[in-house]
Amino acid sequence: MQYYSWILAFHVMSVISWMAMLFYLPRLFVYHAEHADNKGFVEVVKIQERKLYYFIGVPAFWASLLSGVAMLALNPALFKSGLWLHIKLTAALLMILYHLSLRFFLKKFATDSCTKSGKFFRAYNEIPTILMIIIVIMVVVKPI
């Protein structure tokens, strides 16, 4: 438990970095889908999408996951502290699935085969916000 607070601080910083990618990449997908006919623009956006996902999103994801697992390993009593943790972990699992779905769309855009509209990605971009609200309420307020 000596390093628990340091791991927690690292976890929060990692999640903030991960969330930045989860919030911004779908916005790039909106621009990509809405300007698919502008080849020069699309080539620049493809570079941004790839770098954002692989250079920020993937390392931040792994840092978040590993630090979260480390905290649970150091303090397994958390599992008995209430339903809040189980709801938080379920929301985190859904966030991981969302992250993986962004990789799916990234690959589709890279091969110019994504048929989803900008409107779809505007709505899709709300998913991490909803999950983040659930996670923060569960961790801070612990209502159940």
Side-chain angles (χ1 to χ4, degrees), residues 1-2 32-33 40-41 45 70 92 102 135:
M1 294 297 281
Q2 178 182 357
H32 193 148
F41 179 81
V45 170
L102 293 180
I135 290 169

Side-chain angles (χ1 to χ4, degrees), residues 86-136:
H86 302 281
I87 294 170
K88 184 257 185 194
L89 291 175
T90 300
L93 176 62
L94 293 172
M95 195 84 78
I96 291 168
L97 294 174
Y98 182 83
H99 174 99
L100 295 173
S101 76
L102 293 180
R103 182 174 179 228
F104 170 81
F105 290 120
L106 180 70
K107 289 182 175 189
K108 287 283 198 184
F109 275 120
T111 60
D112 299 318
S113 61
C114 187
T115 58
K116 300 292 186 190
S117 68
K119 191 173 186 177
F120 168 83
F121 286 110
R122 286 179 200 282
Y124 201 65
N125 196 24
E126 299 307 319
I127 293 171
T129 302
I130 294 165
L131 293 171
M132 180 264 310
I133 290 168
I134 292 167
I135 290 169
V136 170

Side-chain angles (χ1 to χ4, degrees), residues 22-92:
L22 295 175
F23 287 145
Y24 191 57
L25 186 57
R27 175 56 50 185
L28 289 176
F29 290 165
V30 169
Y31 302 144
H32 193 148
E34 291 180 350
H35 300 284
D37 56 332
N38 184 340
K39 297 300 177 198
F41 179 81
V42 165
E43 291 309 311
V44 170
V45 170
K46 281 182 181 181
I47 293 167
Q48 293 173 330
E49 291 165 347
R50 184 177 42 80
K51 286 184 176 183
L52 179 60
Y53 185 84
Y54 288 107
F55 297 150
I56 295 173
V58 171
F61 160 75
W62 282 109
S64 299
L65 181 66
L66 294 174
S67 59
V69 168
M71 288 188 301
L72 290 172
L74 287 171
N75 191 7
L78 284 171
F79 286 107
K80 296 178 182 176
S81 64
L83 188 59
W84 70 269
L85 179 66
H86 302 281
I87 294 170
K88 184 257 185 194
L89 291 175
T90 300

